[in-house]
Amino acid sequence: QDITSGGVKYRSVFRPNNGTYCRNNGNATMSSPSTTPTTQEAAVLALIQNTESEKWAKGKTGWKSKGKSQVCQWDFVECDPIDAVTKILLPGEGIKATIPPELGSLRSLTELDMRENALYGKIPPEVTALPALELVDLSDNDLTGTIPALASTSLHTLGLEKNRLVGPAFPPSLTETCLNLVKLDLSHNGFTGTLPSSLASLKFLKFLDLSFNDIGGSIPASIGKLEELMGLFLNNNEMLGTIPPTLGHDNLKIVQLFLEHNRLSGTVPASLADLPRLVDLFIDGNKFTGTISSDLCVLKLNEDFFQGDYASDEDRDGCNSIACPVNTVSKEGVYPCFECGAQGFNPYLGRNGRCYHINEKMILDIFYDRTEGPMWIGGAGWGITDVKKCDYEGIACNSAGHVVNITLPRMNLQGEIPDEIGYLRHLRYLDLSDNQLSGQLPSDLRWAPLEYLDVAGNNMKGFVPPTLCLTGDVNDNGAGGDYNCDNIACAPGSYSPIGRATAKGTLDPQTMRRYQCRPCPLGAVHIGSKMCAVNGDSVGSSARAFLSRPVTTNVAGVVVGVLLVAVCLPAVALMQFRRWRDLHYVASDEGSFSYDDDDDDEYSRSHAGGGYDGRRGEREALDAAMMAPSAGLMELEEEHGPRALLRTTISGDLPPVEITRRDISVDGGASVKSNWSLGSSRRSHGGTDQASMSLTAQEPRAGEEGEEVDRPLGGEEEIWLDVPEIT
């Protein structure tokens, strides 16, 4: 449990569960009080709503509609000298009711303390619009909905922890109006969104607790401007990025810094040792690498945590009191720490629970379980004990039997991508596109020697981990010094026909412009979106939902589609006939055309983009005769090892599509799969629109004479860079 006492928060051995919340997004809006004029007595009595609250009112002074005493004489109510209600103090009284909007008529109300009751429903905007509020504590109830706009510039304490509130944790009014906040506790809810840089406007803030929510994004550097802050609790969220160096400024008064159980990465700044009042620092359960600075170790932090069973100082030092070192593990991520052993691996500081598996078959089995394997469309061999991993559908191995390729697009994968996939030490190609994967993209993928990664067309949220953005070679990211997260997957709010951008210099400028991530007018909630959002959801997700409905609900759409085809086909045929007629007349006027095979070959090369030379390895050119964009189904055959049949649909100016080439023989006969991307663009040539197409490919890279190129996990070559703040 987390215990707050005297302004100090204690971390105990066993943390509470966050619970399950309904994730309904909503935007807080400012509303004027809409209640009709009422007496103060009637406004307060609006809390008595049922037989249970009536029983509570018995024996209390006042709290009756026909009582003889005035409201200022009632229990739990305080007034000012002119008999205006200023305080309603009902902590721990067990009242089961909604918060009545009638309280919004109490314009002099300064304190509303109803913590530890059984309040339910939404927080009325009429109440948060009260202009004189100084303290609002509604913690430990069963409230739902979002935080309404706040109007009081005098508010210094806002406690909403331990409810079921959702939506943005920071509505604009919180950092624009409530500039005198001293304590803000929103912990143990279902809040989402990110921390705004405007948080720095709360210059008097001393206690900020956002723990146990679903807040993402990075820690803004502006948080280092909160010079009065003493307690910062961001633990148990979904935060990415690094610890900003601004948190280590020696003018800060931070006593407790809880960052555990997020997705933070990079190294632990040694400058945190410059915080003169720091007593507690917890960073376990993240993706930090390296070591704990000796400057931090000598401070003997977290002493208050090591009590009872953890009181032994026999082999505990200042470093493992903050986080267990790499390749060790513990229950709490801190002392006592245990070695991973030969069958495990852990590249991170403060690992909780267990080490990662390095057995490839075990990792694939974990992947199958975490992505709802029994629900896959296909997946032959998966989940069967006696089947070898290299015989799983979508898996290809090299000559040494190591997994180098995972190709599982459009197979109804669900759930989250497990971290363990990043520990396939030979994995070079990973295609999980067009499934229903959720969660966030694991930063652990940086440990695999990936050259190609496609997670587009899923339901994944958050951001591309900055450490993955700095990994070279993935989708040619880093080519020409261009390290861009968009080359991995488009960020939320943007889209690309392929769900990501193309690295600079890898394609011609016109094609690159087409494949850049562009902003969506209505936003896009997922990373790797291929289309813009419709009513807050991506088109891809909406389409999948439509297709999953019962057939009877789609009949109207089918009828409309048939009618449109019936109307459009004759018009298209007429246009094609007129075009053919015009060309025929031009040819008749100019006489017969000269024609030979060389002219035909030159036309095919210049207008269909059939020539291809591989960028990696030694490979024969692929010469393919491509049909015009309106031809529909196209078949290509390549002679390179066993015959491979490439199929795709080309249609005018549609976005590029992915073609999979299977069973290509490389590395001395090993069977792998590689991906080809066919792109098309339109240009004007001689007054007539022509289609220009190009083939690009990425294939697992091999060393000389089939020798594998292996990249170690971590090591002396590892470099950590500062990355931009994600907002």
Side-chain angles (χ1 to χ4, degrees):
Q1 299 177 359
D2 287 324
I3 306 167
T4 303
S5 176
V8 178
K9 184 171 181 177
Y10 297 95
R11 169 178 166 174
S12 63
V13 175
F14 301 104
R15 301 184 182 87
N17 292 326
N18 193 16
T20 302
Y21 303 103
C22 299
R23 309 299 184 194
N24 297 321
N25 293 325
N27 296 321
T29 57
M30 184 70 178
S31 301
S32 299
S34 60
T35 56
T36 57
T38 183
T39 64
Q40 292 188 119
E41 288 83 355
V44 176
L45 274 178
L47 283 165
I48 308 301
Q49 303 167 3
N50 47 49
T51 55
E52 292 181 357
S53 53
E54 288 175 355
K55 290 180 180 179
W56 170 85
K58 289 182 179 180
K60 306 292 190 297
T61 301
W63 294 93
K64 298 175 182 65
S65 59
K66 297 181 180 180
K68 296 181 180 180
S69 59
Q70 294 182 350
V71 68
C72 293
Q73 298 173 339
W74 292 6
D75 290 341
F76 316 112
V77 177
E78 296 183 15
C79 298
D80 62 14
I82 59 174
D83 290 338
V85 173
T86 58
K87 298 180 182 180
I88 298 177
L89 308 176
L90 289 164
E93 288 295 319
I95 297 176
K96 185 175 183 180
T98 60
I99 301 175
E102 287 85 352
L103 294 180
S105 65
L106 304 175
R107 308 296 287 174
S108 299
L109 191 67
T110 60
E111 294 187 19
L112 179 63
D113 186 354
M114 300 186 67
R115 66 183 186 271
E116 299 175 11
N117 281 285
L119 301 178
Y120 60 93
K122 297 182 178 181
I123 302 173
E126 293 85 355
V127 174
T128 57
L130 288 171
L133 286 174
E134 297 176 4
L135 179 147
V136 175
D137 194 343
L138 303 174
S139 59
D140 205 355
N141 282 287
D142 196 30
L143 297 172
T144 56
T146 60
I147 302 177
L150 296 149
S152 175
T153 58
S154 303
L155 190 67
H156 60 72
T157 300
L158 179 60
L160 299 176
E161 70 269 22
K162 297 181 182 177
N163 281 285
R164 291 194 292 134
L165 299 170
V166 295
F170 284 89
S173 62
L174 202 55
T175 55
E176 294 174 0
T177 303
C178 306
L179 302 182
N180 289 303
L181 272 175
V182 174
K183 179 179 179 180
L184 177 60
D185 194 341
L186 306 179
S187 63
H188 295 270
N189 280 285
F191 289 119
T192 54
T194 60
L195 301 186
S197 57
S198 59
L199 190 63
S201 64
L202 305 179
K203 298 184 181 300
F204 302 103
L205 195 63
K206 292 185 177 181
F207 183 96
L208 176 60
D209 193 347
L210 303 175
S211 60
F212 293 94
N213 281 288
D214 286 328
I215 298 171
S218 61
I219 303 174
S222 60
I223 204 168
K225 296 180 180 179
L226 299 177
E227 297 183 3
E228 299 298 319
L229 192 64
M230 300 179 69
L232 178 59
F233 310 98
L234 304 178
N235 52 291
N236 295 82
N237 278 286
E238 299 291 332
M239 305 196 72
L240 298 165
T242 60
I243 299 176
T246 54
L247 269 180
H249 290 176
D250 59 6
N251 63 325
L252 299 181
K253 301 177 182 179
I254 294 178
V255 176
Q256 295 181 294
L257 182 58
F258 285 26
L259 302 176
E260 72 268 22
H261 293 281
N262 279 283
R263 298 173 184 265
L264 299 170
S265 56
T267 57
V268 180
S271 60
L272 293 178
D274 296 332
L275 295 172
R277 303 186 182 185
L278 189 64
V279 172
D280 290 319
L281 172 64
F282 292 105
I283 53 92
D284 52 281
N286 283 285
K287 307 290 184 179
F288 292 120
T289 55
T291 59
I292 300 294
S293 169
S294 58
D295 293 335
L296 277 168
C297 297
V298 299
L299 297 181
K300 295 186 177 181
L301 300 173
N302 306 333
E303 289 291 327
D304 52 349
F305 176 73
F306 295 99
Q307 306 295 331
D309 293 339
Y310 288 83
S312 173
D313 290 328
E314 182 177 346
D315 57 350
R316 180 170 67 87
D317 57 34
C319 291
N320 61 30
S321 297
I322 299 172
C324 288
V326 168
N327 274 327
T328 65
V329 69
S330 80
K331 182 177 181 179
E332 289 287 326
V334 295
Y335 172 87
C337 310
F338 305 94
E339 297 288 337
C340 284
Q343 298 301 314
F345 175 76
N346 170 37
Y348 302 123
L349 296 171
R351 172 69 177 162
N352 304 93
R354 60 177 178 79
C355 295
Y356 293 104
H357 294 292
I358 56 176
N359 179 283
E360 290 188 340
K361 184 173 174 59
M362 292 181 68
I363 292 175
L364 293 179
D365 289 343
I366 291 172
F367 177 80
Y368 180 75
D369 291 338
R370 302 270 181 88
T371 57
E372 304 295 336
M375 303 296 292
W376 290 8
I377 299 173
W382 288 83
I384 302 176
T385 305
D386 297 335
V387 177
K388 296 180 179 179
K389 64 179 186 292
C390 296
D391 293 331
Y392 290 176
E393 180 180 344
I395 298 295
C397 299
N398 60 17
S399 57
H402 295 300
V403 175
V404 296
N405 186 313
I406 299 178
T407 303
L408 301 169
R410 298 174 294 279
M411 290 181 59
N412 196 41
L413 275 64
Q414 303 175 37
E416 300 186 13
I417 301 175
D419 297 345
E420 284 82 353
I421 285 294
Y423 304 110
L424 293 172
R425 301 192 182 196
H426 305 270
L427 183 65
R428 298 170 181 169
Y429 187 103
L430 180 60
D431 184 356
L432 304 176
S433 59
D434 299 309
N435 284 290
Q436 298 189 53
L437 294 168
S438 56
Q440 301 199 33
L441 189 63
S443 63
D444 306 76
L445 292 174
R446 61 182 150 146
W447 302 117
L450 284 172
E451 297 175 8
Y452 181 86
L453 172 64
D454 192 351
V455 294
N458 282 285
N459 299 324
M460 301 175 68
K461 296 186 178 182
F463 301 90
V464 176
T467 50
L468 186 57
C469 302
L470 294 173
T471 302
D473 294 334
V474 182
N475 301 342
D476 287 316
N477 192 29
D482 176 31
Y483 289 89
N484 191 333
C485 291
D486 283 352
N487 296 335
I488 309 298
C490 292
S494 64
Y495 82 105
S496 157
I498 57 175
R500 64 181 185 279
T502 53
K504 292 181 179 179
T506 56
L507 294 174
D508 63 272
Q510 183 178 358
T511 307
M512 284 188 59
R513 283 193 297 271
R514 180 187 180 122
Y515 292 166
Q516 296 310 300
C517 297
R518 302 176 182 177
C520 286
L522 299 178
V525 297
H526 304 131
I527 66 170
S529 293
K530 294 184 176 181
M531 303 179 191
C532 285
V534 175
N535 295 329
D537 195 7
S538 66
V539 172
S541 298
S542 299
R544 283 194 294 270
F546 177 82
L547 292 174
S548 66
R549 296 174 183 171
V551 176
T552 54
T553 65
N554 294 333
V555 171
V558 173
V559 172
V560 172
V562 171
L563 291 176
L564 287 175
V565 171
V567 172
C568 294
L569 276 179
V572 173
L574 180 59
M575 292 173 62
Q576 293 293 335
F577 172 77
R578 289 178 176 175
R579 184 177 180 184
W580 172 86
R581 183 187 62 188
D582 293 341
L583 292 174
H584 176 72
Y585 289 157
V586 172
S588 299
D589 291 340
E590 296 181 0
S592 60
F593 293 103
S594 60
Y595 174 85
D596 57 37
D597 292 341
D598 293 337
D599 291 336
D600 184 53
D601 292 340
E602 180 61 29
Y603 180 84
S604 296
R605 284 192 294 272
S606 63
H607 294 281
Y612 169 76
D613 289 310
R615 289 195 306 272
R616 292 193 178 100
E618 296 182 358
R619 189 182 303 129
E620 296 179 357
L622 171 64
D623 295 321
M626 296 188 183
M627 302 171 66
S630 60
L633 186 65
M634 177 186 67
E635 296 186 359
L636 303 174
E637 290 187 285
E638 178 197 12
E639 287 290 345
H640 185 83
R643 262 181 210 280
L645 184 64
L646 310 180
R647 295 179 182 269
T648 186
T649 300
I650 311 298
S651 178
D653 199 27
L654 291 177
V657 294
E658 300 294 326
I659 336 173
T660 302
R661 184 184 68 172
R662 297 179 179 272
D663 300 326
I664 305 299
S665 177
V666 298
D667 288 349
S671 176
V672 303
K673 303 179 181 70
S674 63
N675 190 75
W676 301 81
S677 177
L678 176 63
S680 65
S681 60
R682 299 196 67 85
R683 63 186 179 191
S684 178
H685 181 73
T688 305
D689 267 355
Q690 302 290 350
S692 167
M693 305 177 195
S694 62
L695 277 173
T696 60
Q698 295 194 19
E699 214 173 58
R701 179 175 58 199
E704 297 181 359
E705 298 182 359
E707 180 184 357
E708 292 190 56
V709 179
D710 195 6
R711 184 170 65 187
L713 301 178
E716 297 180 357
E717 296 181 1
E718 184 175 344
I719 299 175
W720 293 101
L721 303 176
D722 289 332
V723 297
E725 171 188 331
I726 300 173
T727 58

